[in-house]
Amino acid sequence: MAKVDEISDDERYMRRCLELASRAEGQTSPNPLVGCVVLDKNGLQVGQGYHARAGESHAEVYALDMAGEAAKGGTLYCSLEPCCHHGRTPPCSDRVIKSGVSRVVIGLGDPNPKVDGGGIKALRDAGIEVECGLLEKECRFQNRAFLKAITKSMPWVSLKMAVTLDGRIADREGHSQWITGEGARDHVMLLRSQSDAIMIGAATALADNASLTVRLAPADVIPPECSQNPDFERIPPAKVLLDPTLSLPPDARLFDPLPQECRTIIFCLDDQQWLDRAPSAYPSHVEVMPVARAEAEGGSLELAACLRELHKRRINRVICEGGGRLAGQLLAGGLVDELYWFVAPKILGDSQARPSVAGEAHRRLADIANYRVVAHTVFGPDILIHALVNEP
């Protein structure tokens, strides 16, 4: 009798594909995360790779380059359907066919209209045995940001909060450092590194003088043994500031110059009085983007419009670290896809302390939905609840 925890070789190698793909989280947008493993005809692994960045070789190319002639008659595992169109790189389906593999196992079909089953068809037409759908749920989850970007032209939005047991994110004076401990704060750095952009509101930026940087060593993100290129430098996530009236001063830490690849985007109201001051007020690396005023929120920005603009800028995944008012607006607008909720074993016990979600809607318990908890993790005294609001 097989053991309960025994898995097939196919599943084992697909999980390796997922592991490889995860090394590039936060680096591939607007492209997906993809990992690939190649076995020879005797079932021995002879190649592996992952897509590291848009414009660079795809996972299949890295894996087949490593495998060389040993790929002939073997099996290729890939977490996403090989592409079949010319973009910045040639079609991966052509390369897979030329490699001589006899079998391909795919985790998830690519919904990109330029692919959408075309890669699978090309492989089958070439006489290659193709299986698709292995660990599809896990593959969808890993590429949840890409899938939303392709199907809805909007980035995937993660809302991160650090709260006390009574749901407060700061005391009544606005002091929030530090609710959680060092372990939880280190994990937030990892979450930032896995995102394309970090979004914050003007009030939080002013209160914390936030820099929105990723304070992690490269080895903390990509282990040396998994790096395909020793000279590979990670692109830092873009900084996104929601500042309707351009209230954050130009000398704030958020505007400090960083590597050229790091973008800083400010969304403000499209009133002429703010646009007149923008060109000379901020450093040259800062982009000021005017958007419409939200009809129901007075002087607030139309948040959905901000997110659509981020999608146009090839940003697939956003982590929001704003305050309770911004969290309330995002949730009320149905714009949050997942939660990273850090809970510290502390109680402020002050009704005037800042709430984690400051919404205006009148709701009853019967009106609200349960979110699906993906994981709960302990960091010293703190607990992280990771929950999905929307399924990928």
Side-chain angles (χ1 to χ4, degrees):
M1 179 179 291
K3 295 181 180 178
V4 174
D5 59 352
E6 186 176 324
I7 63 174
S8 67
D9 285 343
D10 281 352
E11 183 175 335
R12 180 158 58 91
Y13 287 117
M14 186 58 70
R15 290 195 183 279
R16 179 58 178 165
C17 290
L18 290 166
E19 180 186 354
L20 289 164
S22 70
R23 306 301 179 185
E25 284 192 279
Q27 300 296 295
T28 64
S29 289
N31 291 357
L33 295 162
V34 186
C36 182
V37 171
V38 178
L39 309 185
D40 67 13
K41 61 184 179 181
N42 297 314
L44 299 177
Q45 182 174 326
V46 290
Q48 65 176 27
Y50 59 91
H51 181 46
R53 184 174 294 170
E56 297 194 4
S57 295
H58 290 187
E60 300 94 320
V61 174
Y62 279 116
L64 290 170
D65 280 350
M66 182 182 293
E69 292 297 312
K72 290 183 177 180
T75 299
L76 181 143
Y77 296 86
C78 198
S79 57
L80 189 72
E81 176 184 358
C83 66
C84 55
H85 65 286
H86 282 273
R88 296 195 203 179
T89 58
C92 287
S93 56
D94 289 353
R95 180 62 193 278
V96 174
I97 292 168
K98 291 177 182 178
S99 73
V101 298
S102 61
R103 179 172 177 254
V104 173
V105 181
I106 298 167
L108 176 67
D110 188 345
N112 186 336
K114 295 179 180 179
V115 184
D116 197 19
I120 293 173
K121 182 179 184 302
L123 298 178
R124 286 177 173 159
D125 287 348
I128 298 174
E129 177 188 350
V130 180
E131 300 172 29
C132 185
L134 180 63
L135 299 184
E136 181 175 349
K137 182 178 179 181
E138 290 86 342
C139 293
R140 289 189 65 85
F141 180 77
Q142 182 175 73
N143 265 314
R144 57 198 183 278
F146 170 74
L147 295 175
K148 184 181 179 185
I150 284 291
T151 59
K152 298 185 178 180
S153 299
M154 292 275 278
W156 179 271
V157 177
S158 306
L159 177 61
K160 168 259 167 184
M161 283 287 177
V163 306
T164 60
L165 288 173
D166 52 343
R168 304 295 171 166
I169 59 173
D171 61 25
R172 64 171 62 194
E173 285 80 28
H175 300 140
S176 61
Q177 298 179 341
W178 296 104
I179 287 178
T180 54
E182 185 175 353
R185 298 198 299 272
D186 286 347
H187 191 70
V188 171
M189 293 297 108
L190 181 62
L191 294 176
R192 287 183 177 184
S193 77
Q194 295 171 346
S195 303
D196 302 321
I198 310 166
M199 187 166 70
I200 195 172
T204 302
L206 282 166
D208 297 345
N209 195 16
S211 62
L212 300 188
T213 55
V214 177
R215 296 179 291 278
L216 284 176
D220 293 332
V221 183
I222 301 181
E225 66 272 14
C226 294
S227 178
Q228 296 170 169
N229 181 353
D231 297 322
F232 181 81
E233 293 186 9
R234 291 182 66 85
I235 301 173
K239 302 176 181 183
V240 178
L241 175 66
L242 304 176
D243 192 357
T245 60
L246 299 178
S247 59
L248 195 66
D251 60 352
R253 291 175 63 202
L254 189 141
F255 302 126
D256 288 347
L258 284 173
Q260 186 177 3
E261 296 90 345
C262 183
R263 295 172 288 174
T264 301
I265 303 167
I266 306 176
F267 288 105
C268 70
L269 292 172
D270 58 1
D271 296 346
Q272 195 59 44
Q273 59 175 316
W274 310 120
L275 301 180
D276 287 343
R277 65 174 281 193
S280 59
Y282 297 102
S284 59
H285 68 279
V286 175
E287 177 187 5
V288 177
M289 181 67 206
V291 295
R293 185 187 304 269
E295 293 182 4
E297 295 288 348
S300 298
L301 300 168
E302 176 54 62
L303 296 179
C306 296
L307 293 173
R308 286 192 292 269
E309 290 296 334
L310 292 180
H311 172 262
K312 292 177 183 177
R313 286 156 177 76
R314 301 161 65 89
I315 289 173
N316 283 1
R317 187 172 175 182
V318 176
I319 184 168
C320 178
E321 299 186 21
R325 185 166 179 266
L326 177 56
Q329 291 171 343
L330 287 167
L331 287 165
L335 300 174
V336 175
D337 297 296
E338 69 181 335
L339 305 174
Y340 288 97
W341 219 256
F342 294 86
V343 183
K346 303 173 181 177
I347 294 178
L348 267 169
D350 181 357
S351 63
Q352 300 302 310
R354 308 289 174 87
S356 56
V357 178
E360 301 295 333
H362 181 168
R363 293 189 179 90
R364 301 172 300 167
L365 280 175
D367 299 329
I368 59 177
N370 286 324
Y371 303 140
R372 182 168 74 84
V373 175
V374 176
H376 45 81
T377 310
V378 176
F379 295 97
D382 308 314
I383 296 175
L384 166 62
I385 299 173
H386 179 197
L388 285 179
V389 179
N390 296 316
E391 293 291 337

